[in-house]
Amino acid sequence: MVDQGYSWIHLAILGGYFLMLGLLAFYGSHRYLMVYLYKKYVGNDPEPAGFFDPSDLPKVTIQLPLFNERYVCERLIEAVAAIEYPHDKLEIQVLDDSTDDTTDICRKAVALLRARGIPITHIHRVDRTGYKAGALAEGLKTATGELVAIFDADFLPEPDFLLKSVHHFWDPKVGMVQARWAHLNRDYSLLTRAQAVLLDGHFVIEHTARNRSGRFFNFNGTAGIWRREAIDEAGGWDHDTLTEDLDLSYRAQLKGWRFIFLRDLAVPSELPVDMSALKSQQHRWAKGSLQTARKLLPTILRSPLPFKIKLEAFYHLTANIAYLLLVVLALLMPIATVIRLHEGWWITLFVDLPIFLGATFSICVFYWTSQRELGRGRLETLKLLPAVMALGIGISLNNSKAVIEGIIGHQSPFVRTPKYNITSGEAWTTRVYLKPGNLLSLLEFAFAAWFTLSIFFVILFEPGGLFSLPFLLLFQAGFLYVAMTSLMHTIKSLRARRILRLSAELEA
């Protein structure tokens, strides 16, 4: 049938294949726009409109939302207590929703700091209503700060964080200041190095481009400071999405508040070191962005905002749909490759290649630019790009599930990302709250097998289709890497649990 022309089934498959490529190229073109805007405005770094007198600094409440963070809570509390700011202008709230020994660790750390004169309090909730958003809202009931800084459990702000950021609030229209995330354990493994590149692209390129060009961007839930008035005027913290930070950001900017991104102010944080934790984090971010899109995008599009802001908001809030498109493309690509093997190379050159480059090459340009702007070497960046692309492909099944749940309105609890206080070669399996992988890994193996069969078919039976091998190999590697890593981490997790259980029985 292939040799005699296309049947309607073939045409349907090819139509779906090119539709997915076209839609991915639509989102891919946005990365080119971000790089262009970044290059255009890169030197336009924000400066404070004025500076507070040292004797008249605004009062700052620092909120530390915690839930079962036994490995990192003390490290965070000590780092925040070392922040340089007048104590009569400072208030630290440890917002503890924990159900394990984290609460005892926090109480002891807070007591010691209070004895040293640090203005810090421990607020423990038994009812976790609203999860992180609920904890932040609970803290605001007693907070006295004009400004509110927030740090998640795995962040370590430098002592001069407030003094480098607070002066931007001299302008009464500024509602939020966001710092860039840095990475304590960037070089722990290939997984953490690839994650670091992904996050660098978001912070270095996207945040800078959006903020400097007058588009909306978002608070990232941590390493930032809010003006209390902006939180209140925007309606406060809501927990009807899994990304309460993204939701509040857009509501505040719709009210006219200005946001500022400080690219050169970096706050070190800890990246997930196991695949299960990464999947959980990615699921929450992907699902929350679609929940926020459902909630706010109609309001944004109906508003009198400039078209460039509306278009960017659409790209931003719906960007994770690209993962769902990628999964459909992964299903269709091997079949479309086989169907089209009789075509000449020139059709691929002039039809497929431009669309595919629009959908995928933009990823290389985007992350290459972010790494070069941070001073990373060319060779180092070049070696990491395949891993970054493979991870993005491999995680697509996990994130597609989140996207579908976000679109249909399926509700799920806020699942925290485990933090282990591991920055070097220590094995994360020495930590006790490990979560085995789920059945999604089996589907990832199935997709890897699907591409493996396609590769063997092309090599053995259709040597004329060798042009497709790089793309097939990339998808195979992505699904296989994520599936294998998930399996290995699950085995290590179960083995560690067994050892810990046996140790506990022996001690008993």
Side-chain angles (χ1 to χ4, degrees):
M1 194 71 176
V2 171
D3 293 332
Q4 299 173 359
Y6 295 131
S7 70
W8 67 269
I9 296 178
H10 295 156
L11 290 174
I13 292 173
L14 293 177
Y17 170 72
F18 280 109
L19 176 62
M20 294 304 103
L21 271 181
L23 291 174
L24 283 169
F26 169 74
Y27 281 105
S29 66
H30 177 250
R31 294 191 186 92
Y32 290 122
L33 174 63
M34 289 290 98
V35 172
Y36 166 75
L37 291 174
Y38 175 84
K39 292 290 188 180
K40 181 178 180 180
Y41 294 101
V42 66
N44 190 23
D45 294 331
E47 294 290 339
F51 291 87
F52 294 105
D53 187 272
S55 62
D56 194 33
L57 289 167
K59 185 165 187 179
V60 178
T61 296
I62 300 179
Q63 294 186 319
L64 311 178
L66 303 174
F67 175 67
N68 293 355
E69 306 286 6
R70 59 162 65 102
Y71 298 119
V72 294
C73 61
E74 190 172 9
R75 180 183 72 175
L76 167 69
I77 292 170
E78 289 176 353
V80 170
I83 287 180
E84 299 164 351
Y85 207 74
H87 284 183
D88 62 329
K89 299 287 187 177
L90 185 64
E91 173 187 50
I92 303 171
Q93 293 181 331
V94 179
L95 306 176
D96 178 21
D97 284 1
S98 300
T99 57
D100 65 359
D101 58 349
T102 299
T103 299
D104 291 333
I105 297 172
C106 289
R107 281 178 180 152
K108 292 176 183 177
V110 168
L112 288 173
L113 290 171
R114 286 182 66 85
R116 287 166 39 195
I118 304 296
I120 184 171
T121 58
H122 177 243
I123 302 173
H124 181 234
R125 289 199 312 165
V126 178
D127 180 6
R128 283 193 74 209
T129 299
Y131 305 105
K132 179 180 177 181
L136 294 172
E138 184 69 21
L140 287 180
K141 291 179 181 179
T142 56
T144 58
E146 175 187 345
L147 306 178
V148 181
I150 301 171
F151 296 102
D152 280 350
D154 54 323
F155 281 71
L156 290 177
E158 299 291 342
D160 60 355
F161 174 83
L162 286 180
L163 295 178
K164 285 185 174 180
S165 55
V166 74
H167 295 288
H168 289 276
F169 289 96
W170 194 88
D171 182 348
K173 296 179 181 178
V174 171
M176 192 279 296
V177 173
Q178 173 70 54
R180 175 170 59 85
W181 294 6
H183 316 293
L184 289 165
N185 58 339
R186 181 187 190 103
D187 296 320
Y188 180 82
S189 66
L190 178 61
L191 180 62
T192 57
R193 287 194 292 272
Q195 288 180 71
V197 174
L198 291 170
L199 287 170
D200 288 343
H202 172 65
F203 281 93
V204 176
I205 305 299
E206 287 184 330
H207 267 9
T208 303
R210 287 173 180 145
N211 185 221
R212 307 297 192 267
S213 66
R215 290 159 170 84
F216 286 0
F217 83 104
N218 62 292
F219 170 60
N220 291 98
T222 176
I225 311 176
W226 279 87
R227 190 185 295 275
R228 171 66 183 271
E229 184 184 352
I231 297 176
D232 294 338
E233 188 177 332
W237 294 104
D238 280 350
H239 58 269
D240 53 356
T241 76
L242 293 179
T243 47
E244 72 292 324
D245 44 9
L246 181 64
D247 171 31
L248 181 60
S249 296
Y250 270 86
R251 285 188 280 120
Q253 288 170 106
L254 281 167
K255 292 290 185 179
W257 289 99
R258 285 183 52 231
F259 284 11
I260 290 176
F261 174 59
L262 301 179
R263 190 194 66 164
D264 296 329
L265 178 59
V267 180
S269 63
E270 186 176 324
L271 294 162
V273 294
D274 66 295
M275 188 61 75
S276 177
L278 174 62
K279 285 181 174 179
S280 175
Q281 182 188 71
Q282 288 288 316
H283 182 278
R284 186 176 74 248
W285 289 351
K287 182 173 181 176
S289 68
L290 267 298
Q291 289 175 323
T292 305
R294 285 189 59 191
K295 177 180 178 179
L296 297 179
L297 200 52
T299 301
I300 294 169
L301 297 178
R302 289 194 301 265
S303 73
L305 290 168
F307 175 75
K308 70 174 186 179
I309 293 180
K310 294 180 180 180
L311 180 62
E312 183 57 35
F314 178 84
Y315 269 119
H316 186 190
L317 296 178
T318 67
N320 285 295
I321 289 177
Y323 287 109
L324 185 57
L325 301 174
L326 195 62
V327 168
V328 178
L329 182 71
L331 286 170
L332 296 176
M333 182 188 293
I335 305 174
T337 299
V338 172
I339 291 174
R340 303 178 65 222
L341 284 176
H342 71 288
E343 294 180 346
W345 63 268
W346 59 273
I347 293 181
T348 300
L349 179 64
F350 292 105
V351 178
D352 295 53
L353 190 59
I355 300 176
F356 208 93
L357 288 180
T360 60
F361 188 66
S362 62
I363 299 173
C364 299
V365 173
F366 183 79
Y367 292 114
W368 172 272
T369 304
S370 71
Q371 296 307 289
R372 295 297 294 149
E373 288 298 311
L374 288 176
R376 303 280 171 187
R378 290 184 177 87
L379 182 59
E380 175 188 3
T381 302
L382 195 61
K383 289 191 297 185
L384 273 177
L385 282 178
V388 171
M389 295 181 70
L391 179 60
I393 291 170
I395 206 78
S396 61
L397 281 167
N398 176 80
N399 289 6
S400 292
K401 176 176 176 288
V403 167
I404 293 171
E405 290 178 0
I407 291 174
I408 67 176
H410 176 267
Q411 296 299 312
S412 58
F414 184 103
V415 180
R416 57 177 289 282
T417 303
K419 295 99 179 178
Y420 302 110
N421 193 5
I422 292 177
T423 58
S424 57
E426 185 181 359
W428 55 266
T429 47
T430 60
R431 307 314 193 195
V432 298
Y433 49 55
L434 305 175
K435 202 172 184 179
N438 53 43
L439 294 178
L440 195 63
S441 297
L442 296 178
L443 193 55
E444 290 159 357
F445 273 115
F447 269 70
W450 175 234
F451 278 92
T452 301
L453 288 173
S454 304
I455 291 166
F456 276 115
F457 181 88
V458 170
I459 293 174
L460 295 177
F461 302 110
E462 297 289 350
L466 293 179
F467 66 86
S468 63
L469 280 182
F471 305 127
L472 296 175
L473 286 167
L474 181 62
F475 275 75
Q476 178 210 38
F479 288 116
L480 189 60
Y481 171 70
V482 171
M484 286 296 296
T485 306
S486 297
L487 177 62
M488 289 188 295
H489 286 178
T490 297
I491 292 172
K492 289 180 180 179
S493 174
L494 294 174
R495 185 182 299 160
R497 286 186 173 191
R498 181 172 177 272
I499 293 171
L500 289 169
R501 186 174 63 250
L502 290 174
S503 298
E505 290 174 357
L506 289 173
E507 289 178 3

